[in-house]
Amino acid sequence: MGEILELLDIRVLLIFMAAVLVVFLIIVLVLSSKLKKLRKTYLTMLNGDSGINVEGALLEIQAKMAEMQQQTEKSQQEITGIVRHMKKMKSNIGVHRYNAFAQNGSDLSFSVAILDEELDGVVLTGIHNREETYVYAKPVAQGTSQYVLSPEEKEAIHRVGQKK
């Protein structure tokens, strides 16, 4: 009787193993079918059969990004150069009008400071009296000059400094 049970157990075990093998075979066939369909879709997408070549589009985008990066760097260098150049431009102007001769006339004399952001440039002074006008120019470096500046010229320079 023990031999029959062992034989029966082996038959049940073989049937069970065969059933498991059939289930696994079905799973493999289903997965194989899905993989084939996915591979076909992937190749269609990469090769451009659907009107869009993804690989080509990605390469084109990458090339455009590299080009834009170069243009950005070039523009940044140009902007830096322009800013550096603008700091040296004599675009800050201070004007002070006054009466050089208190006894007669009006505020026809003037001092004009034309300076950059570092207070380098020139100060022009025009002294007006009844018969003639004298114009003087003095170089200015960092808000001072190697020549003696009049109070009016200092005031014109000071007016430029106040605008900053």
Side-chain angles (χ1 to χ4, degrees), residues 61-74:
I61 288 171
Q62 189 177 18
K64 285 182 180 181
M65 288 283 290
E67 182 181 333
M68 288 178 66
Q69 182 68 27
Q70 289 175 347
Q71 288 178 350
T72 300
E73 290 173 6
K74 182 180 176 185

Side-chain angles (χ1 to χ4, degrees), residues 6-44:
E6 284 180 20
L7 189 60
L8 188 62
D9 286 341
I10 290 175
R11 284 184 192 165
V12 170
L13 184 62
L14 283 174
I15 292 172
F16 178 74
M17 293 294 267
V20 168
L21 186 62
V22 168
V23 169
F24 281 148
L25 185 61
I26 292 171
I27 291 174
V28 166
L29 289 174
V30 169
L31 289 176
S32 175
S33 171
K34 286 185 177 186
L35 181 61
K36 185 177 178 181
K37 185 177 178 182
L38 184 63
R39 182 175 286 144
K40 182 179 176 184
T41 304
Y42 174 74
L43 289 175
T44 300

Side-chain angles (χ1 to χ4, degrees), residues 88-105:
K88 288 294 188 179
M89 291 179 67
K90 311 302 186 234
S91 60
N92 300 312
I93 299 174
V95 178
H96 179 63
R97 290 180 55 117
Y98 57 94
N99 184 357
F101 305 103
Q103 67 272 15
N104 59 5

